[in-house]
Amino acid sequence: MLERFFPGEYLDSTYDIDFERLYGEGYRGLLFDIDNTLVPHGAPADERAIKLFDRLRAIGYQCMFLSNNKEPRVKLFAEQVGYPYIYKAGKPKILNYKKAMEHMGLTQENTIFVGDQIFTDIYGANRAGIRTILVKPIHPKEEIQIVLKRYLEKIVLHCYRKSK
């Protein structure tokens, strides 16, 4: 039952992902959450994030941001790294995962979602049929509703680790 919340992979950081290997496996599109996946909550794109998206562009990926946050926050980050975005995405609803793939001209088979939250990012992408990578949150400071969900995520992660 909890398997629907399990990520395809669970890594320490977005910056640890072997994007070259994944490109070699045929993946061409990357969907990202922003806050606590790429930078601390509310932070602008930093040098590390800018370098990552320059690297992804050089590899040949199409990227897009899928965030439940409001447009001013998402737009700021997306413009700094030069990729499109969907704000107030309503994750875990699958509608905007599909819109993002359509916008990039890609499919479930060649798209990956990277995020830090199980019950929004991973669950939604799993429901949309997209490969998922869960990363540990970058910074412990989070909004209260997210802090509360982290306790439940620990249970899911315990079960996920036992299943491996």
Side-chain angles (χ1 to χ4, degrees):
M1 179 173 143
L2 288 177
E3 291 82 11
R4 70 182 89 181
F5 300 107
F6 289 0
E9 293 177 68
Y10 181 40
L11 300 172
D12 286 338
S13 170
T14 300
Y15 301 96
D16 292 340
I17 298 171
D18 186 346
F19 290 107
E20 288 81 5
R21 175 183 56 83
L22 294 170
Y23 194 86
E25 291 175 10
Y27 292 97
R28 297 298 181 261
L30 299 166
L31 300 176
F32 289 93
D33 178 52
I34 298 171
D35 289 321
N36 258 344
T37 298
L38 294 162
V39 292
H41 187 79
D46 57 17
E47 185 178 331
R48 183 168 72 157
I50 292 167
K51 283 182 181 178
L52 173 65
F53 286 98
D54 286 345
R55 179 174 140 222
L56 296 175
R57 192 173 282 109
I59 293 170
Y61 279 110
Q62 292 189 62
C63 297
M64 193 162 182
F65 302 105
L66 198 59
S67 174
N68 284 350
N69 219 319
K70 295 176 185 164
E71 187 173 22
R73 191 288 173 268
V74 180
K75 181 179 181 181
L76 171 69
F77 186 93
E79 286 180 345
Q80 289 177 303
V81 297
Y83 279 106
Y85 61 91
I86 296 175
Y87 67 97
K88 291 176 118 180
K91 299 178 289 185
K93 293 178 186 173
I94 64 173
L95 175 68
N96 284 314
Y97 291 90
K98 290 182 177 186
K99 278 186 180 178
M101 287 185 287
E102 186 178 303
H103 177 83
M104 295 188 299
L106 299 172
T107 66
Q108 301 161 301
E109 292 77 27
N110 60 7
T111 304
I112 297 172
F113 187 90
V114 180
D116 70 300
Q117 292 189 55
I118 289 174
F119 299 115
T120 53
D121 299 330
I122 301 305
Y123 180 52
N126 283 344
R127 289 177 60 222
I130 303 169
R131 181 174 177 174
T132 57
I133 300 176
L134 176 68
V135 295
K136 293 179 182 173
I138 288 178
H139 194 275
K141 182 181 179 239
E142 297 181 294
E143 296 174 346
I144 187 65
Q145 70 271 19
I146 296 171
V147 171
L148 298 174
K149 285 192 276 184
R150 295 289 185 203
Y151 290 107
L152 296 173
E153 285 185 353
K154 286 179 184 180
I155 296 167
V156 174
L157 288 171
H158 173 76
C159 295
Y160 167 75
R161 287 183 186 107
K162 280 180 63 175
S163 74
K164 294 295 168 188

